[in-house]
Amino acid sequence: MKKAIYPGSFDPFTNGHLDILERSLPFFSEIIILVASSSRKTPLLSPAQRVSLIQQVLAKHLPPEAQSRVRVESWSGLLVDYLRSHQISAIVRGLRAASDFEYEFMMAGMNKRLYPGVETWFMMTAEHLFFVSSSMVKELLLHHGDFSAYVPPPVYEFLMHTYSPSP
Ligand code: COA
């Protein structure tokens, strides 16, 4: 049993992310959810907000045994530098559709080139969540659509309370 990191921008953390985390946990002794930044995205939430929301979700949704094996951290550098300095060699990522594959394939390849000891473990997204994404959630928030089915309750409450613009 090894430690793994589950990296992402998690802007915000969705039910899709939670599903991947829950299904990965039996295969690793500890999973560190690493809130990182992607040059492809301008985030809505600060790293501290994302970390805090994920912690609230874990506290609400995971049984105590599972909670003791998950940590949340943020990281502003390269993923491989975090992995090297913490002596972790497994990365967990979720795959939704074929459209995710090319980006994930390139990222896994680059990480492997930068740190040959690393392996990326891909989990297929649950069938009922394949259309969920952080961008869709933000789009629904902006246009007053109902996104309550796609994010855990602490994320929904925070977004509605903080960002929901008046109609
Ligand atoms: N179900 C539903 N949706 C899912 C999902 C699942 N199981 N898994 C991922 N998604 C969605 C997310 O909601 C998100 O949607 P969005 O594109 O609309 O925002 C998208 O798929 C992927 O986002 P996320 O899982 O948060 O990861 P990311 O692709 O934003 O993360 C990093 C990229 C942070 C891991 C990457 O940029 C990184 O490693 N950065 C650190 C710097 C570095 O080392 N860069 C070099 C990498 S080679």
Side-chain angles (χ1 to χ4, degrees):
M1 292 291 267
K2 282 177 153 262
K3 285 187 186 182
I5 64 158
Y6 178 24
S9 39
F10 304 122
D11 185 51
F13 194 80
T14 65
N15 286 340
H17 292 128
L18 183 59
D19 165 65
I20 296 292
L21 174 74
E22 288 178 324
R23 285 165 49 218
S24 308
L25 264 171
F27 300 96
F28 296 97
S29 56
E30 184 180 3
I31 294 185
I32 296 142
I33 301 177
L34 199 67
V35 173
S37 55
S38 165
S39 57
R40 303 191 309 165
K41 298 171 184 172
T42 308
L44 174 70
L45 306 173
S46 72
Q49 285 172 323
R50 287 178 263 160
V51 167
S52 161
L53 282 174
I54 297 169
Q55 284 168 338
Q56 291 172 48
V57 171
L58 302 181
K60 198 174 166 99
H61 290 271
L62 293 188
E65 187 279 329
Q67 278 182 43
S68 69
R69 296 192 292 114
V70 185
R71 279 191 292 128
V72 193
E73 289 186 18
S74 72
W75 181 251
S76 55
L78 277 180
L79 219 54
V80 289
D81 289 339
Y82 182 94
L83 291 163
R84 233 189 237 107
S85 61
H86 292 77
Q87 298 185 315
I88 298 172
S89 56
I91 301 175
V92 171
R93 292 283 291 167
L95 270 184
R96 287 164 301 172
S99 53
D100 282 346
F101 181 77
E102 195 177 335
Y103 171 62
E104 294 295 339
F105 182 69
M106 287 170 64
M107 200 158 61
M110 180 57 81
N111 283 331
K112 183 110 184 133
R113 182 57 72 96
L114 293 168
Y115 180 22
V118 80
E119 290 295 349
T120 305
W121 300 82
F122 290 107
M123 302 272 304
M124 299 307 294
T125 291
E127 207 181 325
H128 66 291
L129 293 168
F130 78 94
F131 58 90
V132 176
S133 77
S134 302
S135 304
M136 294 284 182
V137 166
K138 286 181 276 192
E139 196 80 3
L140 290 169
L141 171 70
L142 181 69
H143 298 292
H144 315 288
D146 180 8
F147 59 93
S148 57
Y150 312 130
V151 293
V155 175
Y156 180 75
E157 282 148 27
F158 177 83
L159 291 177
M160 287 303 284
H161 182 255
T162 314
Y163 293 101
S164 183
S166 330

